Amino acid sequence: MHITRLSALITASYAHGETAIHRFIHILRQHAHTIGVKPLMSSKEKAAMSTKTTENTAEKSTSSPAKRTTGTTKRATTATRKRRTAKTPAPVTPGEAPAPIIPVTEPGQFGRVNVMDITPNEEHGVYPARVELGEAFEVTAQVFIEGRTKVGATAVVRNPRGKEMLRAPMTCVNPGLDRWTVTLTCGEHSDAKPWEPEFAKVKRQLGEWTVTVEGWEDTYISWLHDATIKVQVGDDVENALISGSQLLARWASSSDAKLNAHQRKTLEAAAATMADASLSPQERLAAATSSDVSELHTSNPLRDGLSPSAPQRFKVERPKASFAAWYQFFPRSEGAVYDDQHGRIKQGTLVTALSGLERAKAEGFDIVYLPPIFPIGVTNRKGRNNSLIAGPNDPGSPFGIGSKLGGHDTVDPLLGTMDDFKAFCNRAHELGLEVALDFALQCSPDHPWVKQHPNWFRTKPDGTIAFAENPPKKYQDIYPIDFNADMPGIEKEVERIMDLWVKAGVTIFRVDNPHTKPVRFWQDVIAAVTKKHPEVLFLAEAFTRPGMMRALSYVGFTQSHCYFPWRNTKEELEKYLLETNGDDGYYQHNTFWPTTPDILTDYVRDNGIAGHAVRAVLAAMGSPSWGIYNGYELIENKQRPGFEEQIDNEKYEVKVRDWDDAGKYGIAELLTSLNRIRREHVEAFSYHNVSILPSSDPNIIAFARHTPAELTSTGKPETLIVVVNLDGHNAHQSLIHLELPDLDIDPKHDVQVRDELTGHEFTWGWDNFVSLAPWADVAHVFHIVR
């Protein structure tokens, strides 16, 4: 209300030669009562006032009688002091106050900086994402703050004991959506096998790790943006530079930045230079933008308003958990021969089955998978091709488990003894092979459990036990287990049995039809087994609904059979490759099998040798984990009429094979080459790094596996380009387009590619011509030569 009078006094003061600021202070003190503010005091007046206040306080203290303060009085005095403190305004610090850390005391609260939508994070983080020890994986999040203030983000990795193992800066890849990303690893990669002494170090790193995304106000970048503009246009330069000097000094003293002595001195020197008014503004600003300071902003930033997210859980699994090449064979067929004297087949044993180990090793596989090796029931035994009546020499299905000789904890005497099985495992380990054992949780009518635990089986109203069935199909040689009466008892028995086979040398269980048992049952069993044996892996043979397959992955199945055999067109395959090798790969590890004893698709039946080659290339290159059922090398592709399975199915008879014939077809040689390529370029294989490459022909599919340089042990990018002709009868040509920058290729130059199947080299650029014929080459697997 007295602004006009005050303005006139200030204007008049200029005529007397007084500086504006001194005259303003003098006038404000004289007329403070007229504008309603407390008069300003000089420094002398402040000192005098302080002395007077001290003297008054001392006088009051000495004049008051001494009193013994009771607890009540103390509390009252404390409360009074708190009230007085609350009324006292906080001191004003020149410049901007740094963003505070706001405690988060309950779920859903935000910190000073907002962190949301962290990925991977399916089912609201209830089930942890899964990664292999030392495997590179991506974490993303939305990180933002109000207004135009800049933010940063950091990812912190902690091991199962809560120890910080890695702190990595995140990069904003989409400013418009505030999306930040970082590539991380949990633990150190190792090739140690579970039976090797070095595995003890691996074992300590397995378990549940966490990743915390920390959002923070990037005070340095916010200041730098404004200060640079102000220096350029000459606006409020001194305040901008002094603010920067104070900021660098505060950064140098930050404990969170984890600076060493040299780094602190770098920041302190820059702060001193910025405060030096004898230098030009440009020189002072340059001190805060030097390469040394910029590097520290990346590695050891000043993080104001630090706001950590809830820890995101990651289940870290042992080496080869997500990179495996499986080879399945039936031990009873290995070494089997015709016995002309008795007119029947003499089956193989665990001793003769060593030949299967040698073949798997020669073809480059690293897991041998055996169907059940337990005694086979006699009652209602199945005959050839699943017939209801078995002949006198029919061995029965190994999935009709259990006889008077024993159940799931016994080796079938026709195969050998437990000592024979242990010797088999020892030989496998000498060859560097793991042994996977089929675990089919079902029983023949002769299984010991039928008498020992009759309540484990479902009965009909007439009191008889119900056969397994899927109407109109019936499995008369199998009793299904009923989990409703005594699931804890069944769990305990299964845990005992698995422990027995692990101690014998098994490191992986392939579980038959897990989707027909309660998910909670497997959750309990796998948790108990892996707690005692964290190296044990589980493969789910669950050709069923997507939800059930995902649930089984959530509860501990490391890998999963999948729909790959039925994905045969270009469109189907492109979609399925991205589904398998995308974010879903953090939870479900699809293992690609071209065929199994139960699956022989029309594509494999109709496309001959070329079809077998095509499906092998797609399986080996399309997923980090793949598998082959033996006999594939011999083009065993005759279907049982009306069924997508082989005729003369090995599940119901012993096969006598002439492995010398494998050389006629070239498939064994192809399998060996594919496994060699996988080993030599292992860093190109991940469940998260496939991209589809545009191709002009509907029968030519092309995709790339690319791992950037910063994620490889060599410091160089690792890239494979796979091109396949899906037509097993006709030649096709196509242009394959490469988005060169996406593959870390300089777009100004062409690149050399080497076909790892043939050894031929080519020069490629943006668009490249290929021609593939089934009688020559069905596929290229190019490696980019750097």
Side-chain angles (χ1 to χ4, degrees):
M1 64 185 71
H2 297 282
I3 293 299
T4 303
R5 170 63 176 156
L6 186 60
S7 176
L9 289 170
I10 293 173
T11 302
S13 69
Y14 293 128
H16 294 84
E18 297 176 286
T19 62
I21 189 63
H22 287 93
R23 184 60 179 164
F24 175 78
I25 294 173
H26 175 69
I27 295 171
L28 187 60
R29 291 177 62 204
Q30 285 185 324
H31 300 276
H33 63 282
T34 63
I35 58 174
V37 298
K38 186 176 180 180
L40 297 175
M41 291 184 290
S42 66
S43 57
K44 291 182 179 180
E45 290 172 325
K46 286 182 180 178
M49 179 62 72
S50 176
T51 303
K52 184 175 181 181
T53 302
T54 304
E55 291 174 352
N56 289 340
T57 303
E59 181 181 347
K60 290 179 181 179
S61 175
T62 55
S63 62
S64 301
K67 296 181 180 179
R68 180 177 297 273
T69 306
T70 62
T72 304
T73 305
K74 284 183 178 179
R75 286 193 293 269
T77 303
T78 302
T80 302
R81 188 179 299 117
K82 287 182 178 179
R83 287 195 297 270
R84 289 174 179 170
T85 303
K87 293 179 182 179
T88 304
V92 177
T93 304
E96 296 182 8
I101 295 176
I102 301 178
V104 173
T105 58
E106 61 184 55
Q109 283 186 327
F110 284 98
R112 181 63 187 85
V113 176
N114 312 300
V115 180
M116 301 194 313
D117 190 26
I118 300 173
T119 67
N121 190 27
E122 293 285 334
E123 305 293 340
H124 307 291
V126 172
Y127 304 105
R130 295 163 44 206
V131 295
E132 189 175 300
L133 184 69
E135 175 191 359
F137 61 96
E138 184 183 40
V139 171
T140 77
Q142 279 186 305
V143 183
F144 59 95
I145 197 171
E146 74 280 355
R148 63 184 188 88
T149 304
K150 308 300 182 183
V151 296
T154 308
V156 179
V157 179
R158 293 182 175 87
N159 68 13
R161 291 166 293 283
K163 180 181 179 182
E164 181 178 317
M165 304 299 292
L166 176 66
R167 181 185 289 197
M170 302 182 73
T171 301
C172 186
V173 293
N174 191 326
L177 296 178
D178 302 303
R179 178 60 59 180
W180 293 71
T181 183
V182 65
T183 300
L184 305 168
T185 59
C186 290
E188 300 174 5
H189 171 76
S190 172
D191 291 319
K193 307 286 187 181
W195 54 87
E196 295 175 341
E198 295 81 6
F199 194 78
K201 182 180 178 181
V202 169
K203 216 169 184 177
R204 291 193 293 270
Q205 299 183 72
L206 306 182
E208 193 170 283
W209 292 54
T210 63
V211 175
T212 302
V213 175
E214 297 178 339
W216 39 275
E217 182 178 331
D218 196 339
T219 314
Y220 169 77
I221 290 296
S222 295
W223 164 83
L224 182 60
H225 174 271
D226 291 353
T228 301
I229 295 173
K230 289 182 178 182
V231 169
Q232 289 174 346
V233 301
D235 176 38
D236 198 22
V237 172
E238 188 63 25
N239 277 325
L241 295 176
I242 293 301
S243 293
S245 175
Q246 294 171 346
L247 186 152
L248 292 178
R250 183 164 62 83
W251 184 358
S253 63
S254 168
S255 59
D256 173 75
K258 299 183 182 298
L259 300 163
N260 59 36
H262 174 73
Q263 292 168 331
R264 284 195 298 271
K265 288 180 180 179
T266 297
L267 292 173
E268 289 168 352
T273 300
M274 290 194 65
D276 188 350
S278 67
L279 300 174
S280 69
Q282 289 75 16
E283 290 174 316
R284 295 164 69 182
L285 181 63
T289 58
S290 67
S291 59
D292 289 341
V293 174
S294 297
E295 288 174 7
L296 286 177
H297 175 258
T298 300
S299 61
N300 302 76
L302 173 65
R303 306 192 303 167
D304 288 332
L306 192 64
S307 303
S309 71
Q312 307 299 300
R313 301 155 60 218
F314 286 81
K315 182 182 179 184
V316 176
E317 297 173 328
R318 59 112 158 152
K320 307 304 180 186
S322 60
F323 180 82
W326 296 66
Y327 189 80
Q328 177 185 8
F329 62 84
F330 285 68
R332 68 187 187 184
S333 293
E334 290 294 326
V337 295
Y338 287 105
D339 184 349
D340 294 330
Q341 181 178 355
H342 297 91
R344 61 183 179 83
I345 295 174
K346 180 181 179 181
Q347 77 163 60
T349 67
L350 288 168
V351 175
T352 63
L354 296 178
S355 62
L357 294 179
E358 302 290 344
R359 186 171 63 257
K361 177 64 176 179
E363 293 182 7
F365 292 93
D366 46 46
I367 298 172
V368 289
Y369 154 46
L370 309 181
I373 59 172
F374 320 124
I376 299 172
V378 176
T379 302
N380 296 330
R381 175 177 286 190
K382 292 292 185 73
R384 292 186 63 196
N385 288 312
N386 202 24
S387 63
L388 296 179
I389 300 176
N393 295 322
D394 287 337
S397 168
F399 293 89
I401 298 170
S403 74
K404 64 181 180 180
L405 300 173
H408 288 76
D409 56 0
T410 308
V411 174
D412 184 350
L414 293 177
L415 290 175
T417 65
M418 181 61 82
D419 285 341
D420 290 332
F421 179 73
K422 291 178 179 178
F424 178 91
C425 291
N426 287 337
R427 179 54 183 156
H429 295 169
E430 290 173 0
L431 294 171
L433 300 170
E434 295 194 52
V435 176
L437 182 62
D438 197 297
F439 193 85
L441 193 51
Q442 55 205 26
C443 303
S444 86
D446 305 319
H447 196 291
W449 287 351
V450 175
K451 292 183 179 179
Q452 296 170 357
H453 303 282
N455 61 319
W456 288 3
F457 303 90
R458 184 174 293 123
T459 58
K460 299 178 182 179
D462 63 5
T464 60
I465 296 178
F467 295 116
E469 61 179 353
N470 182 16
K473 293 182 180 180
K474 291 186 177 182
Y475 306 92
Q476 293 87 342
D477 61 336
I478 293 173
Y479 281 162
I481 293 176
D482 182 5
F483 293 86
N484 292 332
D486 183 21
M487 194 161 80
I490 302 169
E491 289 178 356
K492 185 176 181 180
E493 175 66 357
V494 169
E495 291 161 15
R496 179 190 71 83
I497 292 169
M498 287 187 168
D499 183 68
L500 180 149
W501 292 110
V502 171
K503 290 177 179 176
V506 171
T507 53
I508 305 173
F509 290 101
R510 181 269 194 188
V511 178
D512 186 75
N513 286 334
H515 56 287
T516 61
K517 289 80 178 173
V519 173
R520 175 57 185 269
F521 170 83
W522 294 119
Q523 188 172 28
D524 293 344
V525 167
I526 293 174
V529 172
T530 54
K531 182 178 181 180
K532 192 173 184 179
H533 305 288
E535 73 278 10
V536 174
L537 308 180
F538 291 83
L539 171 67
E541 189 247 3
F543 298 101
T544 184
R545 304 181 305 280
M548 174 59 80
M549 294 176 68
R550 176 59 65 87
L552 292 170
S553 297
Y554 284 157
V555 301
F557 278 95
T558 324
Q559 297 180 23
S560 178
H561 278 279
C562 63
Y563 307 125
F564 169 73
W566 298 281
R567 301 296 186 262
N568 294 292
T569 68
K570 179 179 179 179
E571 182 180 4
E572 291 171 342
L573 284 165
E574 287 180 343
K575 181 178 179 181
Y576 205 62
L577 283 169
L578 295 179
E579 181 179 328
T580 293
N581 298 279
D583 285 346
D584 286 351
Y586 286 112
Y587 301 91
Q588 182 174 316
H589 287 169
N590 286 340
T591 304
F592 285 3
W593 294 71
T595 65
T596 76
D598 297 304
I599 300 171
L600 178 64
T601 62
D602 293 350
Y603 181 93
V604 176
R605 176 198 65 192
D606 296 337
N607 285 276
I609 297 174
H612 281 65
V614 166
R615 298 304 291 181
V617 172
L618 290 172
M621 297 293 114
S623 173
S625 294
W626 79 304
I628 289 292
Y629 163 47
N630 78 160
Y632 198 83
E633 305 97 317
L634 300 172
I635 317 299
E636 295 178 355
N637 65 336
K638 293 182 175 61
Q639 283 182 342
R640 178 185 169 200
F643 297 88
E644 278 193 319
E645 65 179 46
Q646 288 190 19
I647 197 167
D648 302 328
N649 194 314
E650 195 169 2
K651 285 174 61 176
Y652 306 102
E653 62 181 83
V654 176
K655 289 278 190 181
V656 177
R657 295 184 172 94
D658 185 355
W659 286 103
D660 290 337
D661 286 347
K664 299 177 182 179
Y665 308 106
I667 295 299
E669 181 182 355
L670 174 63
L671 301 181
T672 305
S673 294
L674 291 171
N675 281 324
R676 172 187 55 79
I677 295 169
R678 287 166 53 89
R679 286 193 307 274
E680 292 177 354
H681 304 286
V682 63
E683 291 185 307
F685 286 86
S686 165
Y687 275 102
H688 320 293
N689 70 343
V690 163
S691 59
I692 301 299
L693 303 177
S695 54
S696 56
D697 188 286
N699 290 283
I700 299 287
I701 184 173
F703 59 94
R705 287 191 167 277
H706 174 68
T707 303
E710 59 268 22
L711 302 181
T712 68
S713 59
T714 62
K716 298 180 180 180
E718 185 68 89
T719 308
L720 292 177
I721 298 171
V722 182
V723 186
V724 183
N725 176 12
L726 301 176
D727 187 342
H729 302 282
N730 302 290
H732 289 271
Q733 297 80 37
S734 178
L735 285 177
I736 308 298
H737 177 74
L738 297 185
E739 198 63 28
L740 298 178
D742 291 349
L743 301 178
D744 292 335
I745 300 172
D746 186 348
K748 298 178 182 177
H749 305 284
D750 292 333
V751 68
Q752 289 297 114
V753 297
R754 181 179 188 274
D755 188 345
E756 294 292 328
L757 291 174
T758 64
H760 297 152
E761 292 195 4
F762 305 88
T763 300
W764 272 34
W766 290 90
D767 294 286
N768 311 277
F769 177 80
V770 296
S771 179
L772 293 169
W775 52 85
D777 299 320
V778 300
H780 295 303
V781 180
F782 293 119
H783 175 239
I784 294 182
V785 181
R786 304 284 180 174

